[in-house]
Amino acid sequence: MTETTQNTVTDERSDLLETLAKHRQFLRFTTQDLTDEQAGQRTTASELCLGGLIKHVTSTERNWANFIQKGTSVMPDFASMTEEDFARRADDFRMLPGDTLEAVLAEYAEVARRTDELVAALPDFNASHPLPKAPWFEPGARWSARRVLLHIIAETAQHAGHADIIRESLDGQKSMG
């Protein structure tokens, strides 16, 4: 959270922003002192790597923040995505040739800054939009801005935990303990 943003928010806004900032920091911490190669290394049976997790969380946060502002029109129709579409989406979970950890972290910081500004300026946390078509959403469901922000926090926290396991498997480093 930027100093300017921190000074202009109160109550629910500051609680949401502080919680999100804490989990973002846990996620970023898992990449401390790593090389690009290490950030792309798989250390578990999963396809996940640290750089890929940060790319995924960045993409997820960006997409959901856009949803808060513009609604369903900015989200993919997951129900009609092809195998090729899902394969492209899977690139969010890995370090691709040319990706650097520095660039991945910089993009994450920029998306975080824009989300923080959105939360600080949001006039109504109850404003809602219908969810995009997806097999995992109930047809006709709507999410408020508050619910979307809670989802972003949950995604970030969940993936920070994944990242901690991957980092510990990589070199024994832990973000806590």
Short mmCIF file of all heavy atoms in Angstrom, two decimals, residues 121-169:
data_model
loop_
_atom_site.label_atom_id
_atom_site.label_comp_id
_atom_site.label_asym_id
_atom_site.label_seq_id
_atom_site.Cartn_x
_atom_site.Cartn_y
_atom_site.Cartn_z
N ALA A 121 -10.61 4.62 -3.71
CA ALA A 121 -11.55 5.54 -4.38
C ALA A 121 -12.94 4.94 -4.59
O ALA A 121 -13.86 5.65 -4.99
CB ALA A 121 -10.97 5.95 -5.73
N LEU A 122 -13.11 3.68 -4.34
CA LEU A 122 -14.37 3.00 -4.63
C LEU A 122 -15.52 3.63 -3.85
O LEU A 122 -15.49 3.68 -2.62
CB LEU A 122 -14.23 1.52 -4.26
CG LEU A 122 -15.16 0.53 -4.92
CD1 LEU A 122 -15.00 0.56 -6.44
CD2 LEU A 122 -14.86 -0.87 -4.41
N PRO A 123 -16.55 4.11 -4.55
CA PRO A 123 -17.64 4.78 -3.85
C PRO A 123 -18.57 3.84 -3.08
O PRO A 123 -19.18 4.25 -2.10
CB PRO A 123 -18.40 5.51 -4.96
CG PRO A 123 -18.03 4.81 -6.22
CD PRO A 123 -16.69 4.19 -6.00
N ASP A 124 -18.66 2.57 -3.53
CA ASP A 124 -19.65 1.68 -2.92
C ASP A 124 -19.17 0.23 -3.00
O ASP A 124 -19.10 -0.34 -4.10
CB ASP A 124 -20.99 1.83 -3.64
CG ASP A 124 -22.10 0.99 -3.05
OD1 ASP A 124 -21.90 0.37 -1.98
OD2 ASP A 124 -23.18 0.96 -3.66
N PHE A 125 -18.87 -0.38 -1.87
CA PHE A 125 -18.44 -1.78 -1.84
C PHE A 125 -19.59 -2.74 -2.14
O PHE A 125 -19.37 -3.91 -2.36
CB PHE A 125 -17.83 -2.13 -0.49
CG PHE A 125 -16.45 -1.60 -0.30
CD1 PHE A 125 -16.20 -0.63 0.65
CD2 PHE A 125 -15.39 -2.06 -1.06
CE1 PHE A 125 -14.92 -0.13 0.84
CE2 PHE A 125 -14.11 -1.56 -0.89
CZ PHE A 125 -13.88 -0.59 0.07
N ASN A 126 -20.82 -2.25 -2.12
CA ASN A 126 -21.98 -3.10 -2.40
C ASN A 126 -22.31 -3.18 -3.89
O ASN A 126 -23.11 -4.02 -4.29
CB ASN A 126 -23.21 -2.60 -1.64
CG ASN A 126 -23.03 -2.74 -0.15
OD1 ASN A 126 -22.55 -3.76 0.34
ND2 ASN A 126 -23.38 -1.71 0.59
N ALA A 127 -21.73 -2.32 -4.72
CA ALA A 127 -21.97 -2.36 -6.16
C ALA A 127 -21.58 -3.75 -6.67
O ALA A 127 -20.55 -4.29 -6.29
CB ALA A 127 -21.18 -1.29 -6.87
N SER A 128 -22.44 -4.33 -7.52
CA SER A 128 -22.17 -5.70 -7.96
C SER A 128 -22.37 -5.86 -9.46
O SER A 128 -23.00 -5.02 -10.11
CB SER A 128 -23.07 -6.68 -7.21
OG SER A 128 -24.42 -6.51 -7.60
N HIS A 129 -21.82 -6.95 -9.96
CA HIS A 129 -21.96 -7.33 -11.37
C HIS A 129 -22.24 -8.82 -11.43
O HIS A 129 -21.80 -9.58 -10.56
CB HIS A 129 -20.67 -7.06 -12.15
CG HIS A 129 -20.24 -5.63 -12.16
ND1 HIS A 129 -20.90 -4.66 -12.87
CD2 HIS A 129 -19.19 -5.02 -11.56
CE1 HIS A 129 -20.28 -3.51 -12.70
NE2 HIS A 129 -19.25 -3.70 -11.90
N PRO A 130 -22.91 -9.27 -12.49
CA PRO A 130 -23.07 -10.72 -12.68
C PRO A 130 -21.70 -11.34 -12.94
O PRO A 130 -20.84 -10.73 -13.58
CB PRO A 130 -23.96 -10.84 -13.91
CG PRO A 130 -24.29 -9.47 -14.36
CD PRO A 130 -23.56 -8.49 -13.53
N LEU A 131 -21.51 -12.55 -12.45
CA LEU A 131 -20.26 -13.26 -12.68
C LEU A 131 -20.20 -13.76 -14.12
O LEU A 131 -21.24 -14.00 -14.74
CB LEU A 131 -20.13 -14.44 -11.73
CG LEU A 131 -19.89 -14.07 -10.27
CD1 LEU A 131 -19.95 -15.31 -9.39
CD2 LEU A 131 -18.57 -13.36 -10.10
N PRO A 132 -18.99 -13.94 -14.66
CA PRO A 132 -18.88 -14.48 -16.01
C PRO A 132 -19.33 -15.94 -16.04
O PRO A 132 -19.40 -16.60 -14.99
CB PRO A 132 -17.39 -14.37 -16.31
CG PRO A 132 -16.73 -14.35 -14.98
CD PRO A 132 -17.70 -13.68 -14.04
N LYS A 133 -19.63 -16.42 -17.23
CA LYS A 133 -19.98 -17.84 -17.37
C LYS A 133 -18.75 -18.68 -17.10
O LYS A 133 -17.69 -18.46 -17.67
CB LYS A 133 -20.49 -18.11 -18.78
CG LYS A 133 -21.82 -17.50 -19.08
CD LYS A 133 -22.26 -17.84 -20.48
CE LYS A 133 -23.57 -17.14 -20.80
NZ LYS A 133 -23.97 -17.40 -22.20
N ALA A 134 -18.90 -19.62 -16.18
CA ALA A 134 -17.83 -20.55 -15.83
C ALA A 134 -18.44 -21.74 -15.12
O ALA A 134 -19.41 -21.57 -14.37
CB ALA A 134 -16.79 -19.87 -14.95
N PRO A 135 -17.90 -22.91 -15.33
CA PRO A 135 -18.46 -24.10 -14.66
C PRO A 135 -18.42 -24.02 -13.15
O PRO A 135 -19.19 -24.69 -12.47
CB PRO A 135 -17.56 -25.24 -15.16
CG PRO A 135 -16.83 -24.72 -16.34
CD PRO A 135 -16.79 -23.23 -16.21
N TRP A 136 -17.55 -23.19 -12.59
CA TRP A 136 -17.40 -23.11 -11.14
C TRP A 136 -18.24 -22.00 -10.50
O TRP A 136 -18.24 -21.86 -9.29
CB TRP A 136 -15.93 -22.95 -10.75
CG TRP A 136 -15.20 -21.89 -11.52
CD1 TRP A 136 -15.15 -20.56 -11.24
CD2 TRP A 136 -14.45 -22.07 -12.70
NE1 TRP A 136 -14.41 -19.89 -12.18
CE2 TRP A 136 -13.95 -20.80 -13.09
CE3 TRP A 136 -14.14 -23.17 -13.50
CZ2 TRP A 136 -13.17 -20.61 -14.22
CZ3 TRP A 136 -13.35 -22.97 -14.62
CH2 TRP A 136 -12.87 -21.72 -14.97
N PHE A 137 -18.98 -21.22 -11.31
CA PHE A 137 -19.87 -20.20 -10.76
C PHE A 137 -21.31 -20.63 -10.96
O PHE A 137 -21.68 -21.16 -12.01
CB PHE A 137 -19.67 -18.85 -11.46
CG PHE A 137 -18.35 -18.18 -11.20
CD1 PHE A 137 -17.63 -17.62 -12.24
CD2 PHE A 137 -17.83 -18.09 -9.92
CE1 PHE A 137 -16.41 -16.99 -12.02
CE2 PHE A 137 -16.61 -17.46 -9.69
CZ PHE A 137 -15.90 -16.92 -10.74
N GLU A 138 -22.13 -20.33 -9.95
CA GLU A 138 -23.56 -20.60 -10.05
C GLU A 138 -24.15 -19.67 -11.12
O GLU A 138 -23.88 -18.47 -11.12
CB GLU A 138 -24.21 -20.32 -8.70
CG GLU A 138 -25.70 -20.57 -8.66
CD GLU A 138 -26.29 -20.23 -7.31
OE1 GLU A 138 -25.60 -20.37 -6.28
OE2 GLU A 138 -27.46 -19.80 -7.29
N PRO A 139 -24.96 -20.23 -12.04
CA PRO A 139 -25.55 -19.37 -13.08
C PRO A 139 -26.36 -18.23 -12.44
O PRO A 139 -27.10 -18.43 -11.49
CB PRO A 139 -26.47 -20.32 -13.85
CG PRO A 139 -25.91 -21.68 -13.60
CD PRO A 139 -25.32 -21.63 -12.20
N GLY A 140 -26.16 -17.03 -12.96
CA GLY A 140 -26.90 -15.87 -12.49
C GLY A 140 -26.35 -15.22 -11.23
O GLY A 140 -26.89 -14.22 -10.76
N ALA A 141 -25.26 -15.77 -10.67
CA ALA A 141 -24.69 -15.21 -9.44
C ALA A 141 -24.06 -13.84 -9.71
O ALA A 141 -23.61 -13.55 -10.82
CB ALA A 141 -23.66 -16.16 -8.86
N ARG A 142 -24.05 -13.02 -8.69
CA ARG A 142 -23.44 -11.69 -8.74
C ARG A 142 -22.46 -11.57 -7.58
O ARG A 142 -22.70 -12.15 -6.52
CB ARG A 142 -24.50 -10.60 -8.59
CG ARG A 142 -25.55 -10.58 -9.66
CD ARG A 142 -26.61 -9.51 -9.40
NE ARG A 142 -26.06 -8.16 -9.51
CZ ARG A 142 -26.03 -7.46 -10.64
NH1 ARG A 142 -26.50 -7.97 -11.75
NH2 ARG A 142 -25.51 -6.24 -10.66
N TRP A 143 -21.40 -10.80 -7.79
CA TRP A 143 -20.47 -10.50 -6.71
C TRP A 143 -20.37 -9.00 -6.55
O TRP A 143 -20.25 -8.26 -7.53
CB TRP A 143 -19.09 -11.06 -7.01
CG TRP A 143 -18.90 -12.50 -6.64
CD1 TRP A 143 -19.85 -13.38 -6.22
CD2 TRP A 143 -17.67 -13.23 -6.68
NE1 TRP A 143 -19.30 -14.61 -5.98
CE2 TRP A 143 -17.96 -14.54 -6.26
CE3 TRP A 143 -16.38 -12.89 -7.01
CZ2 TRP A 143 -16.97 -15.53 -6.18
CZ3 TRP A 143 -15.39 -13.86 -6.93
CH2 TRP A 143 -15.69 -15.17 -6.51
N SER A 144 -20.41 -8.58 -5.30
CA SER A 144 -20.19 -7.16 -4.99
C SER A 144 -18.69 -6.87 -5.05
O SER A 144 -17.86 -7.79 -5.04
CB SER A 144 -20.70 -6.86 -3.58
OG SER A 144 -19.89 -7.53 -2.62
N ALA A 145 -18.35 -5.61 -5.08
CA ALA A 145 -16.94 -5.21 -5.04
C ALA A 145 -16.28 -5.77 -3.78
O ALA A 145 -15.15 -6.25 -3.82
CB ALA A 145 -16.83 -3.69 -5.07
N ARG A 146 -16.99 -5.76 -2.67
CA ARG A 146 -16.47 -6.30 -1.41
C ARG A 146 -16.14 -7.78 -1.57
O ARG A 146 -15.07 -8.24 -1.18
CB ARG A 146 -17.50 -6.12 -0.29
CG ARG A 146 -17.09 -6.71 1.04
CD ARG A 146 -18.18 -6.55 2.10
NE ARG A 146 -18.41 -5.13 2.40
CZ ARG A 146 -19.43 -4.42 1.91
NH1 ARG A 146 -20.32 -4.97 1.11
NH2 ARG A 146 -19.57 -3.15 2.23
N ARG A 147 -17.05 -8.54 -2.17
CA ARG A 147 -16.84 -9.98 -2.36
C ARG A 147 -15.64 -10.24 -3.28
O ARG A 147 -14.84 -11.15 -3.05
CB ARG A 147 -18.11 -10.62 -2.93
CG ARG A 147 -17.99 -12.09 -3.28
CD ARG A 147 -17.73 -12.94 -2.03
NE ARG A 147 -17.55 -14.32 -2.36
CZ ARG A 147 -16.35 -14.88 -2.63
NH1 ARG A 147 -15.26 -14.19 -2.60
NH2 ARG A 147 -16.28 -16.16 -2.92
N VAL A 148 -15.49 -9.43 -4.31
CA VAL A 148 -14.35 -9.56 -5.22
C VAL A 148 -13.05 -9.29 -4.47
O VAL A 148 -12.06 -10.03 -4.62
CB VAL A 148 -14.49 -8.63 -6.44
CG1 VAL A 148 -13.21 -8.60 -7.26
CG2 VAL A 148 -15.67 -9.06 -7.31
N LEU A 149 -13.02 -8.25 -3.65
CA LEU A 149 -11.81 -7.93 -2.89
C LEU A 149 -11.47 -9.06 -1.91
O LEU A 149 -10.30 -9.41 -1.74
CB LEU A 149 -11.97 -6.61 -2.16
CG LEU A 149 -12.02 -5.40 -3.10
CD1 LEU A 149 -12.47 -4.16 -2.33
CD2 LEU A 149 -10.69 -5.18 -3.78
N LEU A 150 -12.48 -9.63 -1.28
CA LEU A 150 -12.24 -10.77 -0.40
C LEU A 150 -11.68 -11.96 -1.19
O LEU A 150 -10.81 -12.69 -0.71
CB LEU A 150 -13.52 -11.15 0.34
CG LEU A 150 -13.99 -10.15 1.38
CD1 LEU A 150 -15.39 -10.50 1.89
CD2 LEU A 150 -13.00 -10.04 2.52
N HIS A 151 -12.17 -12.14 -2.41
CA HIS A 151 -11.66 -13.21 -3.27
C HIS A 151 -10.19 -12.95 -3.63
O HIS A 151 -9.38 -13.89 -3.61
CB HIS A 151 -12.52 -13.32 -4.53
CG HIS A 151 -12.06 -14.38 -5.46
ND1 HIS A 151 -12.18 -15.72 -5.18
CD2 HIS A 151 -11.46 -14.30 -6.68
CE1 HIS A 151 -11.68 -16.42 -6.19
NE2 HIS A 151 -11.23 -15.58 -7.10
N ILE A 152 -9.84 -11.72 -3.96
CA ILE A 152 -8.45 -11.38 -4.27
C ILE A 152 -7.56 -11.68 -3.06
O ILE A 152 -6.47 -12.25 -3.20
CB ILE A 152 -8.32 -9.90 -4.71
CG1 ILE A 152 -8.99 -9.68 -6.07
CG2 ILE A 152 -6.85 -9.48 -4.76
CD1 ILE A 152 -9.13 -8.20 -6.46
N ILE A 153 -8.02 -11.31 -1.88
CA ILE A 153 -7.26 -11.59 -0.66
C ILE A 153 -7.09 -13.10 -0.47
O ILE A 153 -5.99 -13.58 -0.18
CB ILE A 153 -7.92 -10.94 0.57
CG1 ILE A 153 -7.82 -9.42 0.50
CG2 ILE A 153 -7.31 -11.47 1.87
CD1 ILE A 153 -8.69 -8.68 1.49
N ALA A 154 -8.17 -13.85 -0.63
CA ALA A 154 -8.11 -15.30 -0.46
C ALA A 154 -7.16 -15.94 -1.46
O ALA A 154 -6.36 -16.82 -1.11
CB ALA A 154 -9.51 -15.90 -0.58
N GLU A 155 -7.24 -15.53 -2.72
CA GLU A 155 -6.34 -16.06 -3.76
C GLU A 155 -4.88 -15.76 -3.40
O GLU A 155 -4.02 -16.63 -3.52
CB GLU A 155 -6.64 -15.39 -5.11
CG GLU A 155 -7.79 -15.99 -5.85
CD GLU A 155 -7.38 -17.17 -6.73
OE1 GLU A 155 -6.25 -17.20 -7.26
OE2 GLU A 155 -8.22 -18.07 -6.89
N THR A 156 -4.62 -14.54 -2.97
CA THR A 156 -3.25 -14.15 -2.64
C THR A 156 -2.74 -14.96 -1.46
O THR A 156 -1.61 -15.47 -1.48
CB THR A 156 -3.19 -12.64 -2.34
OG1 THR A 156 -3.72 -11.93 -3.47
CG2 THR A 156 -1.76 -12.18 -2.08
N ALA A 157 -3.56 -15.11 -0.43
CA ALA A 157 -3.15 -15.87 0.76
C ALA A 157 -2.93 -17.34 0.41
O ALA A 157 -1.94 -17.94 0.84
CB ALA A 157 -4.21 -15.73 1.85
N GLN A 158 -3.83 -17.93 -0.36
CA GLN A 158 -3.70 -19.33 -0.73
C GLN A 158 -2.41 -19.56 -1.51
O GLN A 158 -1.65 -20.49 -1.23
CB GLN A 158 -4.91 -19.77 -1.57
CG GLN A 158 -4.82 -21.21 -2.02
CD GLN A 158 -6.04 -21.62 -2.83
OE1 GLN A 158 -6.77 -20.79 -3.35
NE2 GLN A 158 -6.26 -22.92 -2.94
N HIS A 159 -2.13 -18.68 -2.47
CA HIS A 159 -0.94 -18.87 -3.29
C HIS A 159 0.34 -18.51 -2.55
O HIS A 159 1.40 -19.04 -2.85
CB HIS A 159 -1.09 -18.13 -4.61
CG HIS A 159 -2.13 -18.76 -5.49
ND1 HIS A 159 -2.15 -20.11 -5.75
CD2 HIS A 159 -3.17 -18.23 -6.15
CE1 HIS A 159 -3.17 -20.39 -6.54
NE2 HIS A 159 -3.81 -19.26 -6.80
N ALA A 160 0.25 -17.64 -1.54
CA ALA A 160 1.42 -17.38 -0.70
C ALA A 160 1.79 -18.65 0.07
O ALA A 160 2.98 -18.95 0.24
CB ALA A 160 1.15 -16.22 0.26
N GLY A 161 0.79 -19.40 0.50
CA GLY A 161 1.05 -20.68 1.15
C GLY A 161 1.68 -21.69 0.20
O GLY A 161 2.63 -22.40 0.57
N HIS A 162 1.16 -21.75 -1.03
CA HIS A 162 1.77 -22.63 -2.03
C HIS A 162 3.23 -22.23 -2.24
O HIS A 162 4.12 -23.08 -2.32
CB HIS A 162 1.04 -22.53 -3.38
CG HIS A 162 -0.35 -23.04 -3.36
ND1 HIS A 162 -1.33 -22.48 -4.13
CD2 HIS A 162 -0.93 -24.06 -2.70
CE1 HIS A 162 -2.46 -23.12 -3.93
NE2 HIS A 162 -2.24 -24.08 -3.06
N ALA A 163 3.46 -20.92 -2.37
CA ALA A 163 4.80 -20.41 -2.63
C ALA A 163 5.75 -20.76 -1.48
O ALA A 163 6.92 -21.08 -1.71
CB ALA A 163 4.76 -18.90 -2.85
N ASP A 164 5.26 -20.71 -0.26
CA ASP A 164 6.10 -21.04 0.89
C ASP A 164 6.56 -22.50 0.80
O ASP A 164 7.73 -22.81 1.05
CB ASP A 164 5.32 -20.79 2.18
CG ASP A 164 6.21 -20.69 3.40
OD1 ASP A 164 7.32 -20.13 3.29
OD2 ASP A 164 5.80 -21.18 4.47
N ILE A 165 5.67 -23.39 0.41
CA ILE A 165 6.02 -24.81 0.26
C ILE A 165 7.05 -24.98 -0.87
O ILE A 165 8.03 -25.71 -0.72
CB ILE A 165 4.77 -25.66 -0.01
CG1 ILE A 165 3.88 -25.70 1.25
CG2 ILE A 165 5.15 -27.08 -0.46
CD1 ILE A 165 2.48 -26.24 1.01
N ILE A 166 6.82 -24.31 -1.98
CA ILE A 166 7.75 -24.41 -3.11
C ILE A 166 9.13 -23.89 -2.71
O ILE A 166 10.15 -24.52 -2.99
CB ILE A 166 7.19 -23.66 -4.33
CG1 ILE A 166 5.95 -24.38 -4.86
CG2 ILE A 166 8.26 -23.53 -5.43
CD1 ILE A 166 5.16 -23.59 -5.89
N ARG A 167 9.17 -22.74 -2.03
CA ARG A 167 10.46 -22.17 -1.61
C ARG A 167 11.16 -23.08 -0.63
O ARG A 167 12.37 -23.31 -0.72
CB ARG A 167 10.25 -20.77 -1.02
CG ARG A 167 11.54 -20.11 -0.52
CD ARG A 167 12.54 -19.89 -1.66
NE ARG A 167 13.85 -19.48 -1.20
CZ ARG A 167 14.32 -18.25 -1.26
NH1 ARG A 167 13.58 -17.28 -1.78
NH2 ARG A 167 15.51 -17.98 -0.81
N GLU A 168 10.43 -23.62 0.34
CA GLU A 168 11.06 -24.51 1.31
C GLU A 168 11.62 -25.76 0.61
O GLU A 168 12.70 -26.23 0.95
CB GLU A 168 10.06 -24.91 2.40
CG GLU A 168 10.71 -25.68 3.54
CD GLU A 168 9.79 -25.93 4.71
OE1 GLU A 168 8.62 -25.49 4.68
OE2 GLU A 168 10.24 -26.57 5.66
N SER A 169 10.91 -26.25 -0.39
CA SER A 169 11.40 -27.40 -1.15
C SER A 169 12.62 -27.03 -2.00
O SER A 169 13.46 -27.88 -2.28
CB SER A 169 10.30 -27.94 -2.07
OG SER A 169 9.20 -28.39 -1.32
#
